[in-house]
Amino acid sequence: MSADIGLIGLAVMGENLILNIANHGFTAACFNRTTTVVDKFIEGRAKDKKIIGCHTPEELAKNLKKPRKIIIMVRAGSPVDDTIAKLVPVLEKGDIIIDGGNSNYEDTNRRIADLESKGLMFFGCGISGGEEGALTGPSIMPGGSEEAWQHVKPIFQAIAAKVEDGSPCCDYVGQAGSGHFVKMVHNGIEYGDMQLIAEAYGIMKNLIGLSNAEIADTLEEWNKGDLDSYLIEISRDIFRKKDEETGKDMVDVIVDAAGQKGTGKWTVINGLDLGAPVTLIGEAVFARTLSSQKEDRVHASKILSGPKPHFEGDKKAFLEDLRQAVFASKIVSYAQGFVLMREAAKNFKWRLNYGAIALMWRGGCIIRSKFLGKIKEAFDKNHDLPNLILDDFFKDKINAAQASWRRIVAAAAVNGLYAPAFGTALNYYDGLRTERLQANLIQAQRDYFGAHTYQRVDKPANQVFHTNWTGRGGTTASHSYNV
């Protein structure tokens, strides 16, 4: 029995992914560095399934149909390189290696170039959906060789999540490391969504005094409208979960220090490198960083003063304002993510299909939501849409939410509540809609102290100028002017 595809790495994601492959009628072969893990898996969850256990890379290669297709599901970084190094000697020209982990797209670019020089094909493939998604249908974002895609497409589209019309949440993203880049942006947006829900929780709890049960009920209502999404759904469930040990609400026994694995940080760094202001994702990353400084915050809370939250008014109306603020801020977050992908496509000469990316995110992944269907529609109407907020649907939604959004940001500020994502989303929106920002003063300052030059409103855009501001400077100017 020859296998259609191989998989290396039987941790949570790898184990569930290969079971998904077998459940869809394909024969799969697996290998794990610790071979006892293979044996336990074959004798346990894989028993009586079309899965072949292997104890060496050589054995794995011998059990695969040609061209061989092998998915690597190991921790990003050197473990991926180490695994590739073990595979290369046992593979032949035309074989395909697929990295299904959360690798940095630059590593994927490097690996593609290296393996293509050896006659092998490499695919960087973002996979989202966690343990459950891997087993029942994840969102899959493949990027790399188009030739390789034709060989893996039937398997990947079979095991991927499906939307209402049966379309798979998996399609070819683009060249080189674009698959992992898109997965990185997905994770960055995920950071933003989680932070917005957390800020809404803080406002509901600390300003209007809702109980955890009332917060759960509120989220259940939100999940019936524009905010219908996986993260709202699981947040509702979290607020209803009791700790078996103490009987308290589970959310109240968890320390308020959030971890992170790096993809949100990568998104922000790439936003800076490519000139895309992913401000909401940036605030979400920094919010996790600040949360991790627990001892400092405990100390500061005893010596720093601020207003005591106080609410007077209609709770129901306020909760509707809060829902609108979450939705408007969410639009901004996704708009920023797609702007970042657009800048990456320009910079790396990738051909990205933004509507298809939105479709890939509609099912299986952590940010799956009803909302993504509207994003697909927006880019299907206009592939070159410069910013999602300019689409009629999203423009109208933000206009309708704007007064509520402003009231929530103001209420958070007046009552001393931490809500950086709401605030930065609104500031981005106000900046985007402002024809003339204050950057003219910044350019004047830069030219004053560093002769960095400036453009003039009454001259062609390709001309730059320098002023001798003090009368003591010369006419020599710097050549570092950039927009």
Side-chain angles (χ1 to χ4, degrees), residues 64 88 91 94 119 140 168 185 202 231 294 296 341 361 378 462:
L64 294 174
V88 168
L91 298 181
I140 305 176
V185 175
L231 284 169
K294 177 68 175 176
D296 292 345
M341 288 189 284
W361 291 349
N462 62 350

Side-chain angles (χ1 to χ4, degrees), residues 207-429:
L207 181 56
I208 60 176
L210 295 194
S211 67
N212 290 331
E214 289 171 322
I215 293 171
D217 291 344
T218 300
L219 294 176
E220 183 162 13
E221 284 302 309
W222 287 4
N223 206 45
K224 295 174 183 176
D226 288 330
L227 288 173
D228 176 3
S229 65
Y230 173 72
L231 284 169
I232 291 285
E233 181 183 318
I234 68 168
S235 298
R236 172 204 64 196
D237 295 345
I238 287 167
F239 283 108
R240 289 178 175 161
K241 181 71 174 175
K242 295 289 185 182
D243 175 33
E244 293 179 2
E245 184 178 335
T246 65
K248 296 179 180 178
D249 290 344
M250 193 71 218
V251 71
D252 291 334
V253 302
I254 298 173
V255 174
D256 59 318
Q260 53 184 313
K261 290 189 173 180
T263 45
K265 179 178 72 173
W266 294 348
T267 308
V268 177
I269 290 170
N270 277 277
L272 292 169
D273 287 343
L274 294 169
V278 286
T279 59
L280 195 149
I281 298 169
E283 288 292 354
V285 172
F286 287 127
R288 293 195 189 191
T289 306
L290 182 60
S291 79
S292 71
Q293 297 173 354
K294 177 68 175 176
E295 289 184 13
D296 292 345
R297 290 189 293 110
V298 170
H299 175 64
S301 70
K302 293 176 171 57
I303 60 175
L304 299 181
S305 63
K308 184 177 180 180
H310 176 70
F311 179 78
E312 289 182 354
D314 184 335
K315 285 188 179 181
K316 185 176 179 181
F318 187 84
L319 285 171
E320 174 57 18
D321 280 349
L322 188 57
R323 185 191 70 81
Q324 294 272 19
V326 172
F327 187 59
S329 300
K330 184 182 176 83
I331 292 171
V332 168
S333 181
Y334 284 68
Q336 290 180 351
F338 276 89
V339 167
L340 175 56
M341 288 189 284
R342 184 193 69 189
E343 293 304 315
K346 276 196 247 176
N347 190 72
F348 303 124
K349 297 180 171 53
W350 293 337
R351 298 185 304 276
L352 300 185
N353 184 332
Y354 305 111
I357 290 168
L359 176 65
M360 280 185 266
W361 291 349
R362 276 187 62 195
C365 68
I366 304 302
I367 64 170
R368 60 185 182 265
S369 66
K370 173 182 176 182
F371 169 90
L372 284 155
K374 293 297 183 181
I375 296 179
K376 182 180 187 302
E377 289 176 17
F379 284 109
D380 283 350
K381 280 190 297 182
N382 180 8
H383 177 270
D384 298 319
L385 182 68
N387 193 302
L388 196 61
I389 295 171
L390 302 179
D391 173 74
D392 286 343
F393 173 84
F394 293 105
K395 172 175 61 71
D396 292 345
K397 283 290 185 181
I398 280 192
N399 282 340
Q402 193 173 154
S404 293
W405 194 11
R406 295 185 187 281
R407 283 193 290 268
I408 292 300
V409 172
V414 168
N415 287 282
L417 297 174
Y418 182 58
F422 283 138
T424 196
L426 182 57
N427 275 316
Y428 175 84
Y429 174 75

